[in-house]
Amino acid sequence: MTKMTEKDRFIAILNREEVDRISVACPLQTGTLEMMERANVFWPEAHYNAEMMAELSYAAYRLADIESVRVPFCLTVEAENLGCKISNGGQKSQPSVLEPTLTTIENYMSLKLPDPTKDGRMPIVAKSLKILKGKVGDTVPLIAGVVSPFTLAGHIRGIDNLLLDFFDNPEDVVNLLNFCCEVCISYSQYLGDSGADCISLIEPSATCEVIGPKYFQEFASPYIKKVVKNLEVPTILHICGDTVPILSFMRDTGVNGISIDHVVDISEAKDKIRKTALIGNINPVDPLLFGQIDEILKQSSICVEKGIDILAPGCGLSPATPIVNIKAMTSFAKNYNE
């Protein structure tokens, strides 16, 4: 089979088409301290400047051979636009939500739908995609990370409060989730128009440990499905932790790919997601952060032999991850022959 470009291979896998080999792309956070030093671009400034964001995200492809470029590096772009108090983070840490916007869920009616072309950091992320398109053209897939509706609702209400609202104010929970869904759709569509080849929907608050399968079906899955139906580019869904009990529900949202954490057994996941592309799931801490090259190669081999479609870390990279460790994973995938 003719050798494919990184983008063609990535998109073909998501569309369940024949490819020349597996991909080694990453739909999650890729910025590291070593990349910052070598690109001379650093956090927290790179979260707020389109040129810096583009340069640092490009470094994952240029320096570590990851076969994709992904922006942004945090999960706070949408929450900040909606009034959450945000920590800017530092060189070794990402921005985070310090305080939610809503003291009572009834106040959701005061929220205004952001304009992604001009509000907050949304246009900065979009501009970074346009810059990156100029760098890689149509040869490397550009992935844009977007916070999925349930997690966004947890940011602006506070996840503990939101869980109590399930019982005390279920109708308002639905209204808030519909609002967050509209934010997600509008922002994702703009990122697609700005050059994103794929939207990576990040839903860390919808884990089995937090809401379980029953409430995932009621308060997370329908809104992910609605987002997916309103996008023209392929989508990937990532949820942290042991997602085996909800994998079939994740599949039914209609996403093209499912990114799994390292605690999920690939064979079991493949059985549950059927034809949906499976992405992951090397442990980002041990071996990628602290481990030896031989252990990275061993885990990579296990992932590929069990049928992973896109080899990637099971979660976002720790900023302290050595480039040489990432390259052990990427070189394995590129040189693997079935």
Side-chain angles (χ1 to χ4, degrees), residues 13 27 48 64 80 83 86 117 145 164 206 232 274 284 296 298 300 330:
I13 289 171
Y48 299 90
E80 186 176 35
I86 303 295
T117 68
L164 293 174
E232 295 183 359
R274 298 175 190 167
I296 296 169
K298 179 181 177 182
S300 298
T330 56

Side-chain angles (χ1 to χ4, degrees), residues 76-84 112 114-116 119-123:
T76 61
V77 173
E78 301 91 333
E80 186 176 35
N81 253 2
L82 293 167
C84 292
K112 179 183 176 183
D115 181 344
D119 290 342
R121 283 185 285 148
M122 289 180 173

Side-chain angles (χ1 to χ4, degrees), residues 22-26 28 238 259-264 266 279-289 291-293 295-304 308 310-318 321 325-333:
I22 66 166
S23 173
V24 58
C26 185
L28 307 170
H238 177 81
S259 169
I260 55 172
D261 208 335
H262 73 277
V263 297
V264 178
I266 292 172
I279 303 155
N281 69 336
I282 296 179
N283 190 325
V285 177
D286 187 11
L288 279 179
L289 175 59
Q292 301 297 313
I293 298 297
E295 182 58 30
I296 296 169
L297 296 175
K298 179 181 177 182
Q299 280 203 23
S300 298
S301 178
I302 291 170
C303 287
V304 174
I308 207 74
I310 298 175
L311 186 65
C315 200
L317 290 174
S318 163
T321 306
N325 285 7
I326 304 171
K327 290 189 74 170
M329 174 188 71
T330 56
S331 64
F332 177 89

Side-chain angles (χ1 to χ4, degrees), residues 38-319:
R38 292 177 62 175
N40 196 30
V41 173
F42 300 90
W43 291 350
E45 293 82 5
H47 300 299
Y48 299 90
N49 179 285
E51 289 77 11
M52 291 181 176
M53 184 181 293
E55 191 62 34
L56 181 56
S57 59
Y58 181 60
Y61 172 77
R62 179 172 63 89
L63 300 174
D65 296 332
I66 292 175
E67 295 182 327
S68 61
V69 179
R70 198 267 199 192
V71 292
F73 309 106
C74 72
L75 301 177
T76 61
V77 173
E78 301 91 333
E80 186 176 35
N81 253 2
L82 293 167
C84 292
K85 184 178 179 181
I86 303 295
S87 162
N88 290 336
Q91 235 178 71
K92 298 180 181 180
S93 62
Q94 298 150 280
S96 59
V97 176
L98 295 178
E99 292 180 11
T101 307
L102 301 178
T103 54
T104 64
I105 194 166
E106 294 88 350
N107 288 343
Y108 78 88
M109 291 183 289
S110 67
L111 297 172
K112 179 183 176 183
L113 189 69
D115 181 344
T117 68
K118 64 181 182 180
D119 290 342
R121 283 185 285 148
M122 289 180 173
I124 293 174
V125 178
K127 184 179 178 181
S128 76
L129 286 167
K130 294 174 183 177
I131 294 170
L132 286 163
K133 185 63 76 173
K135 288 180 177 289
V136 303
D138 284 325
T139 61
V140 181
L142 300 183
I143 304 173
V146 174
V147 174
S148 211
F150 181 80
T151 294
L152 181 57
H155 282 167
I156 61 181
R157 174 67 178 120
I159 188 61
D160 291 339
N161 292 327
L162 186 65
L163 295 178
L164 293 174
D165 291 329
F166 284 5
F167 308 99
D168 298 334
N169 302 283
E171 290 185 7
D172 286 328
V173 170
V174 169
N175 290 331
L176 177 60
L177 287 167
N178 278 317
F179 172 81
C180 291
C181 192
E182 291 305 313
V183 174
C184 188
I185 292 169
S186 173
Y187 182 37
S188 298
Q189 288 175 339
Y190 185 57
L191 294 177
D193 292 341
S194 300
D197 298 304
C198 174
I199 298 297
S200 179
L201 297 168
I202 313 300
E203 193 74 286
S205 294
T207 64
C208 292
E209 292 82 1
V210 176
I211 60 173
K214 178 180 182 295
Y215 290 115
F216 181 85
Q217 282 185 279
E218 184 175 355
F219 292 116
S221 177
Y223 305 95
I224 298 169
K225 185 179 296 186
K226 185 177 178 181
V227 172
V228 171
K229 284 184 177 179
N230 280 276
L231 300 184
E232 295 183 359
V233 297
T235 51
I236 291 170
L237 176 61
H238 177 81
I239 300 177
C240 302
D242 181 6
T243 51
V244 169
I246 59 171
L247 278 173
S248 59
F249 306 137
M250 293 171 68
R251 175 201 68 211
D252 291 343
T253 61
V255 293
N256 299 84
I258 292 175
S259 169
I260 55 172
D261 208 335
H262 73 277
V263 297
V264 178
D265 179 78
I266 292 172
S267 300
E268 191 171 5
K270 291 284 283 188
D271 183 58
K272 288 184 176 293
I273 70 168
R274 298 175 190 167
K275 294 183 179 181
T276 308
L278 191 63
I279 303 155
N281 69 336
I282 296 179
N283 190 325
V285 177
D286 187 11
L288 279 179
L289 175 59
F290 296 122
Q292 301 297 313
I293 298 297
D294 59 352
E295 182 58 30
I296 296 169
L297 296 175
K298 179 181 177 182
Q299 280 203 23
S300 298
S301 178
I302 291 170
C303 287
V304 174
E305 288 172 5
K306 284 191 172 185
I308 207 74
D309 297 300
I310 298 175
L311 186 65
C315 200
L317 290 174
S318 163

